Amino acid sequence: MIRVTLRTGPFVTEIGTDIPFLHSELTRLYGSGNIVAPGRFADFHVEVQRAKGLRRHIRPQAVFDFDGFQPLKPLGLRQAVPLLEWGMNWIIGGEAHQYLILHAAVVERNGRALIMPAEPGSGKSTLTAALVYRGWRLLSDELTLIRPRDGLALPLARPINLKNESIDVIHRYAPGVFMSAAAYGTAKGTVALLSAPADSVARDNEPALPRWVVFPQFSAGAPARLEKRSKAGSLLYIGDNSINLHMHGAAGFELVADLVDRCDCLEFVYGDLDEAVRVFDSLAQTA
Amino acid sequence: MSAELLADILGSLSLPAEQQRFDFDWDAVIRTARRAGLLPRLALVLRENGRLDAVPPRPGAHLEAALVLSEKHAADVRREIDNLVAALSGIVDRIVLLKGAAYLAAGLPPSRGRIFGDIDICVPRASLSVVEAMLGVFGWQPGSIHPYDDAYYRRWMHQIPPLVHRTRGSAVDVHHTIVPLTARPKVPADLLLQAARPVDANSKIAVLAPCDMVLHSATHLFNEGEFVWAFRDLHDLDLLLRHFAAEQGFWSELIERAEILDLRRPLFYLLRYTARVFRTPVPEDALRRVEAFGPPAPLRPLMDTLLERALAPNLPLARDRWSPLALALLYGRGHYLRMPVHLLVPHLIRKAVRRPDDG
């Protein structure tokens, strides 16, 4: 069993695996900013191991284990990297109730955070990847952690999950950035993980105050368009798609309401990544 | 072993302040508490004793998260109990709550920091079908269940199949007696139910009398074959015993009640193991009196070895390579206690032969 300890944002995860290629992918996907020496305390202890029994040899599978509990179905061995990433997200969503956790990407520029709730087919991850390789700081592509006492978003700065066509798009957009080997045939199609920018990782203990909530929608060929979106509608959507709002009861509702109140809520349609980044950049110059 | 560290914290907070130690291996403690279902309780116990601030920040964050969970849980269960009363108050005189929900309704120490699963209620056998029907009207439906299991539940166990609320997802287990009908100890369930008392003057909610509550939980812990939450259940019992021990004559009454209900053996194991694991202050006198309730002398070391493992928290860190065997043997024992052989064998055969995807 090979062990690796990752520090990502507020969490230290100790990972054990008997799958050599997973270990080598991890050490390239995560850099020295994340890979740390094992310490006295890890927040989570996980293992990704080859399935036992028949599945060890016939269409071999990998199993994600969280301290003796297996929350996810085993996946094909070649999907070990996304399995680990999804597993870690599962754990954060299920355990880290010291935060309010939204299903949204969050990036930062000029000291202000921009949250992108995850509508299916929105291209949020692709947009996130483009932004953070054009000067924006990555906090997360998937889970927005809001600290209840001050409403700040806390970074995770973990690899970005790319799917299908966006894998090639981002290869071209950010050439030379490490991307894990594509895993085919996952539930989400073909998946690859893109390394987080080193600067984002270096600053992953720096929270940011949310200033915008932007709902992106990719539409091939469409010119970029940014419009106000109803705050009430935004509140409902974020609430419905939160990861653990139900844990926080009334206080959680207030937190989301404050967020939506304080932020500009916008809809964003785009067809071209470069143009999208320009629009976001000029947004960042305002207010 | 990590279980000892956790038991130490939980146990030692009952000791005077100067005897508390906080140089624990927090990594092992947090992991063990999480898998044992005791993370919220650990957090609450530390907070109530003013020791939460002394916890280093990283483990402390997990305890903070657990407190959020714990408040939410308790609020949910209280609401569900209210919903059950609303559904059933027209058709039964009272609803007897069992296990976790009873602790909460009666404001007992084990309700604090506890993660509740299903709500267990007990109603008279005669009203069982009306209760099931009325719960159906209010949205509780049988979870998906194989017809054989359904028949098994109704005929041989002490409950109709678990009901799940169709929008809220909460689960209710409706019992009409305390121990399965085919159990070897013939427990006159009527005695337990007769002695049940309302949680307060106006309430439709009743809980078992203190000794009965202890014995019922102990019987569940030691006679059923499942030990997934055994460590937590044992700690619940430690808290109950410490709480009720404040009453004069409690221990004698407990022992006498065990004799009346024919639950001597579970009481023996209970006092033996809470004292061992959580240092429950069981009086010497009581321990001596229950000695006779234990298994025959040659079996004792075997039962000790099996139960020691079964009562450990459910994670690899706290178990060893003999644990699976111990659990398997106790599973068999649990079945043996609950079903006579001539029913047990066909039951196990049918279970083994059924394909897993038959539900």
Side-chain angles (χ1 to χ4, degrees):
Chain A
M1 183 84 75
I2 319 161
R3 296 198 181 276
V4 149
T5 304
L6 290 181
R7 192 204 50 77
T8 51
F11 306 116
V12 172
T13 308
E14 194 238 349
I15 302 165
T17 186
D18 61 355
I19 304 169
F21 92 83
L22 175 61
H23 179 249
S24 64
E25 291 280 88
L26 282 182
T27 51
R28 297 173 68 195
L29 203 53
Y30 289 91
S32 57
N34 294 121
I35 298 178
V36 298
R40 292 201 64 207
F41 185 88
D43 293 290
F44 308 116
H45 293 259
V46 306
E47 286 177 357
V48 180
Q49 288 189 275
R50 301 182 67 124
K52 302 202 186 354
L54 222 52
R55 283 303 219 170
R56 202 176 175 82
H57 307 289
I58 302 171
R59 299 230 302 262
Q61 288 185 321
V63 180
F64 178 84
D65 181 288
F66 170 36
D67 241 338
F69 177 62
Q70 284 145 22
L72 303 178
K73 276 170 35 174
L75 294 182
L77 204 57
R78 289 280 124 198
Q79 299 173 28
V81 175
L83 176 63
L84 174 64
E85 292 291 319
W86 291 335
M88 293 202 289
N89 286 347
W90 186 95
I91 291 175
I92 294 170
E95 298 290 330
H97 302 304
Q98 67 268 43
Y99 306 117
L100 171 64
I101 305 172
L102 308 178
H103 187 203
V106 51
V107 296
E108 176 262 317
R109 189 133 202 188
N110 295 338
R112 288 183 295 273
L114 186 151
I115 295 174
M116 290 188 282
E119 281 196 72
S122 59
K124 135 189 100 58
S125 295
T126 316
L127 191 49
T128 303
L131 287 166
V132 304
Y133 279 100
R134 289 291 184 272
W136 287 70
R137 178 163 68 107
L138 172 69
L139 278 78
S140 178
D141 70 325
E142 187 73 11
L143 300 176
T144 297
L145 306 181
I146 302 285
R147 190 161 61 191
R149 72 165 191 269
D150 53 18
L152 295 182
L154 264 64
L156 280 169
R158 279 196 13 236
I160 298 171
N161 226 287
L162 296 173
K163 301 190 281 281
N164 304 318
E165 300 78 26
S166 57
I167 296 173
D168 285 329
V169 168
I170 297 297
H171 252 309
R172 290 194 295 274
Y173 203 83
V177 178
F178 179 74
M179 215 187 274
S180 72
Y184 301 97
T186 75
K188 302 188 181 189
T190 304
V191 167
L193 276 304
L194 176 77
S195 274
D199 179 68
S200 302
V201 174
R203 295 168 62 191
D204 74 0
N205 58 352
E206 231 182 271
L209 185 67
R211 180 70 184 79
W212 303 278
V213 177
V214 178
F215 294 79
Q217 184 57 55
F218 176 74
S219 177
R225 199 174 74 240
L226 200 54
E227 279 171 359
K228 273 196 163 82
R229 179 169 168 145
S230 129
K231 291 211 177 195
S234 303
L235 169 57
L236 287 175
Y237 185 89
I238 293 172
D240 270 346
N241 291 279
S242 78
I243 304 290
N244 73 348
L245 179 61
H246 54 287
M247 286 293 163
H248 293 269
F253 178 82
E254 294 295 332
L255 206 50
V256 181
D258 283 347
L259 176 77
V260 162
D261 216 20
R262 185 190 330 125
C263 293
D264 287 345
C265 298
L266 304 159
E267 269 187 23
F268 180 59
V269 177
Y270 70 104
D272 177 80
L273 269 185
D274 285 314
E275 195 186 4
V277 172
R278 278 198 301 275
V279 171
F280 274 58
D281 281 347
S282 50
L283 192 62
Q285 308 286 27
T286 68
Chain B
M1 263 256 204
S2 65
E4 277 142 26
L5 290 178
L6 178 58
D8 235 18
I9 299 189
L10 292 170
S12 77
L13 282 159
S14 315
L15 295 176
E18 59 270 22
Q19 287 177 279
Q20 294 166 19
R21 291 163 36 233
F22 274 88
D23 50 342
F24 286 110
D25 176 355
W26 282 106
D27 188 89
V29 169
I30 296 291
R31 295 169 77 178
T32 308
R34 173 179 288 123
R35 280 286 157 264
L38 283 172
L39 202 50
R41 177 166 300 156
L42 176 63
L44 266 176
V45 162
L46 287 170
R47 186 172 72 180
E48 280 165 13
N49 286 271
R51 303 295 298 182
L52 199 54
D53 293 336
V55 180
R58 272 197 186 281
H62 293 266
L63 297 174
E64 195 192 319
L67 286 172
V68 173
L69 180 71
S70 163
E71 274 167 35
K72 146 86 175 164
H73 250 300
D76 280 355
V77 178
R78 278 194 194 95
R79 216 173 296 124
E80 277 311 292
I81 293 173
D82 288 344
N83 289 331
L84 282 168
V85 172
L88 299 178
S89 59
I91 55 169
V92 291
D93 290 330
R94 63 176 192 173
I95 302 161
V96 180
L97 292 182
L98 302 171
K99 296 197 265 181
Y103 303 154
L104 185 65
L108 291 166
S111 68
R112 295 195 323 260
R114 195 180 197 277
I115 301 174
F116 302 93
D118 306 348
I119 295 179
D120 291 88
I121 68 175
C122 197
V123 298
R125 192 173 186 169
S127 25
L128 208 53
S129 15
V130 183
V131 164
E132 194 184 350
M134 195 56 106
L135 289 176
V137 167
F138 279 80
W140 279 279
Q141 294 160 351
S144 75
I145 184 164
H146 191 280
Y148 176 75
D149 286 337
D150 187 82
Y152 173 75
Y153 263 110
R154 292 176 192 279
R155 192 157 169 229
W156 301 115
M157 297 298 292
H158 46 76
Q159 56 195 77
I160 58 184
L163 303 174
V164 179
H165 193 271
R166 66 163 183 265
T167 54
R168 293 195 301 270
S170 57
V172 178
D173 280 346
V174 184
H175 307 244
H176 56 80
T177 181
I178 306 292
V179 172
L181 295 176
T182 57
R184 288 168 59 81
K186 294 272 180 283
V187 176
D190 285 351
L191 291 181
L192 287 136
L193 295 172
Q194 276 163 30
R197 50 186 72 166
V199 293
D200 62 52
N202 301 319
S203 188
K204 281 259 180 183
I205 301 287
V207 298
L208 300 182
C211 293
D212 294 354
M213 193 183 275
V214 169
L215 291 167
H216 175 236
S217 294
T219 307
H220 255 284
L221 177 57
F222 291 103
N223 279 17
E224 302 221 338
E226 308 276 333
F227 289 88
V228 177
W229 301 111
F231 189 79
R232 179 205 67 191
D233 290 347
L234 189 66
H235 189 246
D236 286 347
L237 282 157
D238 165 81
L239 291 177
L240 272 186
L241 289 172
R242 290 174 195 259
H243 176 79
F244 291 139
E247 297 292 321
Q248 198 55 289
F250 168 72
W251 298 104
S252 286
E253 204 189 315
L254 182 63
I255 293 168
E256 279 153 27
R257 195 64 174 159
E259 287 175 313
I260 294 170
L261 297 177
D262 191 25
L263 294 176
R264 294 174 189 78
R265 188 65 55 86
L267 180 61
F268 168 79
Y269 288 132
L270 170 64
L271 299 187
R272 184 176 180 74
Y273 283 99
T274 49
R276 272 187 168 193
V277 177
F278 294 109
R279 285 181 266 133
T280 320
V282 184
E284 276 305 314
D285 179 59
L287 286 171
R288 254 199 319 274
R289 284 171 68 188
V290 301
E291 265 304 294
F293 295 174
L299 275 184
R300 292 191 187 199
L302 173 65
M303 286 309 291
D304 270 350
T305 260
L306 297 183
L307 284 171
E308 219 170 76
R309 286 172 171 79
L311 292 170
N314 185 24
L315 80 167
L317 195 64
R319 297 202 157 172
D320 68 17
R321 70 183 188 281
W322 298 110
S323 298
L325 178 61
L327 289 167
L329 289 172
L330 288 169
Y331 183 75
R333 172 179 174 270
H335 267 288
Y336 165 75
L337 287 173
R338 288 181 295 144
M339 287 181 103
V341 171
H342 72 273
L343 291 170
L344 179 62
V345 172
H347 169 76
L348 290 177
I349 290 175
R350 284 179 95 140
K351 280 279 204 180
V353 160
R354 245 184 47 217
R355 289 181 340 200
D357 54 43
D358 278 352

